């Protein structure tokens, strides 16, 4: 394949790979279906990738002529190992979906059969998934998640998550307490897969909710289950989804106190000890920053043997965002919980030295301001310590 010169018009302008299912957008440019669907639907772009012109609509028209040319070219070069591309299935239509949903019946057997067909349709392309949502498949699946049991309910949840629902559909689901409660029950199940789908569904709903706190206020058990998922480390996607939901929860009202009382701070510290993923570490530090805005959260941080040390260690080792969140945590402690013992610990484990270093390197302006504020706040307690840099006084005054 590498020795054969592929005609340029057979290649997708986005990926530069040979097109398997060429489709034309409203600007008249042809792309491979998978590539342009990611551009429009996954990345939320509303312009042509090549011309930068706005798209009048998101309709994708199959370029049958080009597809036949590509198939003929593949057949002509079969002796060189080029495989003929299969003819892609046409997108599903709304009447087809309505007929499928109407025939689902009320028995577990017919429902499972319908779900298997829906999964196949959803896995084909984004166009099918959008058509499924417009045809009422999301409501059908949500009803099975709540009303069915066992395999049927779990299968419906996984397909519902795969649809990548629009904001309006997610808000509709978030407004249904019975659906949220059902997701909580899934998070308590013995199936890691069901728990992961449930928390990822909650994450999607929390991202679009006008008031995320209201989404979870009726069911305090959600907080407990999110923490348990973090402890169990089901998978990376579930961990990141749980962290995003916790950020949404802890940003509101007394949820910070509830999270601290549920042991969230200790879980975050333990995860940070082993975390090597940049984005995960940033989110963990963000959760700590939120929870440490209350006295209960700071108390839990200081009670943990590695609390201050881990937060300090992440400064300048994760990202600018990670450093900013870590300094915010230390600032909350220094401002509201700085007993003589805490100040002494901050010197001994290197927190003060790290803050001094932070002032001498490139980082965010607000991060430096908070670091300097911490040093000035307790300069009298730290200035004569042998564990702080000799530049301590000058850095505090600069």
């Amino acid at each position: 394949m590498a020795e054969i010169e592929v005609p340029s018009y057979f290649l997708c302008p986005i990926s530069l790979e040979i097109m398997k299912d060429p489709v034309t957008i409203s600007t008249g440019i042809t792309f491979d279906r998978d590539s342009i669907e990611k551009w429009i639907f996954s990345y939320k772009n509303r312009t042509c990738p090549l011309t930068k012109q706005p798209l009048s609509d998101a309709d994708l028209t199959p370029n049958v002529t080009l597809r036949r040319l590509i198939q003929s070219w593949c057949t002509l070069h079969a002796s060189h190992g080029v495989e003929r591309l299969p003819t892609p299935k046409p997108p599903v239509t709304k009447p087809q979906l309505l007929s499928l949903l109407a025939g689902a019946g009320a028995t577990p057997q017919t429902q499972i059969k319908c779900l298997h067909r829906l999964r196949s349709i959803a896995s084909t392309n984004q166009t099918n998934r959008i058509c499924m949502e417009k045809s009422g498949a999301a409501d059908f699946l949500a009803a099975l998640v709540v009303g069915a049991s066992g395999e049927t309910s779990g299968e419906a949840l996984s397909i519902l998550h795969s649809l990548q629902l629009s904001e309006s559909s997610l808000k509709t689901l978030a407004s249904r307490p019975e659906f949220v409660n059902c997701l909580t029950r899934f998070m308590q199940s013995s199936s890691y897969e069901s728990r992961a789908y449930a928390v990822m569904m909650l994450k999607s709903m929390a991202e679009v909710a006008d008031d995320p706190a209201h989404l979870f206020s009726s069911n305090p058990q959600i907080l407990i289950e999110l923490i348990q998922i973090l402890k169990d480390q089901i998978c990376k996607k579930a961990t990141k989804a749980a962290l995003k939901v916790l950020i949404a929860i802890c940003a509101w009202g007394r949820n910070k106190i509830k999270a601290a009382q549920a042991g969230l701070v200790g879980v975050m510290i333990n995860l940070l000890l082993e975390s090597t993923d940049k984005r995960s570490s940033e989110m963990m530090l963000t959760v700590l920053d939120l929870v440490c805005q209350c006295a209960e959260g700071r108390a839990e941080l200081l009670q943990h043997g590695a609390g201050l040390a881990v937060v300090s260690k992440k400064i300048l080792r994760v990202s600018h965002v990670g450093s900013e969140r870590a300094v915010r945590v230390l600032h909350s402690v220094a401002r509201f919980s700085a007993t003589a013992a805490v100040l002494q610990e901050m010197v001994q484990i290197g927190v003060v030295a790290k803050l001094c270093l932070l002032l001498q390197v490139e980082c965010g302006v607000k991060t430096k301001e908070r670091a300097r504020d911490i040093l000035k706040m307790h300069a009298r307690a730290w200035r004569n310590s042998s564990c702080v840099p000799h530049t301590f006084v000058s850095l505090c005054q600069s």
Side-chain angles (χ1 to χ4, degrees), residues 61 93 101 113 153 168 214 223 226 256 279 293 342 345:
T61 305
T93 64
L101 296 177
K113 185 177 180 180
S153 182
S168 59
H214 178 71
L223 181 61
L226 288 170
K256 300 177 178 64
R279 181 59 183 144
Q293 290 173 17
V342 169
E345 181 183 358

Side-chain angles (χ1 to χ4, degrees), residues 243-295:
L243 288 170
K244 286 184 178 180
V245 176
L246 286 167
I247 290 171
I249 292 176
C250 295
W252 295 78
R254 291 181 55 82
N255 289 336
K256 300 177 178 64
I257 299 175
K258 295 177 182 177
Q261 293 171 340
L264 179 58
V265 172
V267 174
M268 289 297 97
I269 295 297
N270 292 336
L271 290 177
L272 275 171
L273 280 167
E274 301 179 357
S275 177
T276 57
D277 181 78
K278 171 186 169 182
R279 181 59 183 144
S280 294
S281 296
E282 289 176 348
M283 288 192 288
M284 292 170 194
L285 289 166
T286 299
V287 172
L288 279 179
D289 171 33
L290 291 169
V291 180
C292 286
Q293 290 173 17
C294 70

Side-chain angles (χ1 to χ4, degrees), residues 51-306:
T51 67
K52 307 304 179 185
Q53 292 177 303
L55 299 177
S56 58
D57 56 58
D59 291 341
L60 306 178
T61 305
N63 191 328
V64 179
T65 301
L66 180 57
R67 188 181 71 219
R68 288 174 177 170
L69 285 173
I70 294 174
Q71 289 176 328
S72 298
W73 182 87
C74 290
T75 301
L76 185 64
H77 293 85
S79 59
H80 297 280
V82 179
E83 296 183 2
R84 186 179 186 277
L85 299 177
T87 301
K89 295 180 180 179
V92 70
T93 64
K94 187 173 182 178
Q96 289 173 330
L97 283 169
L98 291 174
S99 175
L100 177 62
L101 296 177
T107 66
Q109 292 78 13
T110 57
Q111 289 172 350
I112 284 291
K113 185 177 180 180
C114 176
L115 289 174
H116 289 170
R117 177 65 182 136
L118 288 174
R119 176 178 290 282
S120 175
I121 294 171
S123 65
T124 302
N125 52 55
Q126 183 66 25
T127 302
N128 279 1
R129 292 190 284 272
I130 292 173
C131 186
M132 288 174 65
E133 181 178 348
K134 292 180 177 179
S135 302
D139 290 333
F140 170 77
L141 292 168
L144 288 182
V145 169
V146 175
S149 59
E151 180 186 358
T152 304
S153 182
E155 180 75 0
L157 176 61
S158 66
I159 299 172
L160 188 63
H161 171 263
S162 73
L163 291 185
Q164 303 171 27
L165 296 175
S166 65
E167 182 175 326
S168 59
S169 292
L170 288 170
K171 284 186 174 182
T172 299
L173 292 178
S175 67
R176 300 175 181 174
E178 70 279 4
F179 184 77
V180 178
N181 291 337
C182 189
L183 292 182
T184 307
R185 291 195 294 273
F186 270 108
M187 291 165 64
Q188 297 171 326
S189 71
S190 58
S191 167
Y192 277 10
E193 186 178 57
S194 294
R195 294 174 72 191
Y197 282 128
V199 72
M200 288 189 286
M201 198 76 222
L202 275 175
K203 184 263 296 182
S204 298
M205 292 159 58
E207 287 177 338
V208 302
D210 296 325
D211 183 359
H214 178 71
L215 180 62
F216 307 105
S217 60
S218 62
N219 193 339
Q221 187 64 30
I222 290 179
L223 181 61
I224 305 299
E225 297 307 325
L226 288 170
I227 294 174
Q228 190 60 50
I229 282 177
L230 291 176
K231 288 180 179 179
D232 294 342
Q233 289 291 282
I234 298 173
C235 65
K236 289 183 179 180
K237 287 186 177 180
T239 295
K240 289 184 177 180
L243 288 170
K244 286 184 178 180
V245 176
L246 286 167
I247 290 171
I249 292 176
C250 295
W252 295 78
R254 291 181 55 82
N255 289 336
K256 300 177 178 64
I257 299 175
K258 295 177 182 177
Q261 293 171 340
L264 179 58
V265 172
V267 174
M268 289 297 97
I269 295 297
N270 292 336
L271 290 177
L272 275 171
L273 280 167
E274 301 179 357
S275 177
T276 57
D277 181 78
K278 171 186 169 182
R279 181 59 183 144
S280 294
S281 296
E282 289 176 348
M283 288 192 288
M284 292 170 194
L285 289 166
T286 299
V287 172
L288 279 179
D289 171 33
L290 291 169
V291 180
C292 286
Q293 290 173 17
C294 70
E296 292 80 358
R298 294 190 296 275
E300 289 295 318
L301 177 76
L302 296 174
Q303 187 176 352
H304 194 293

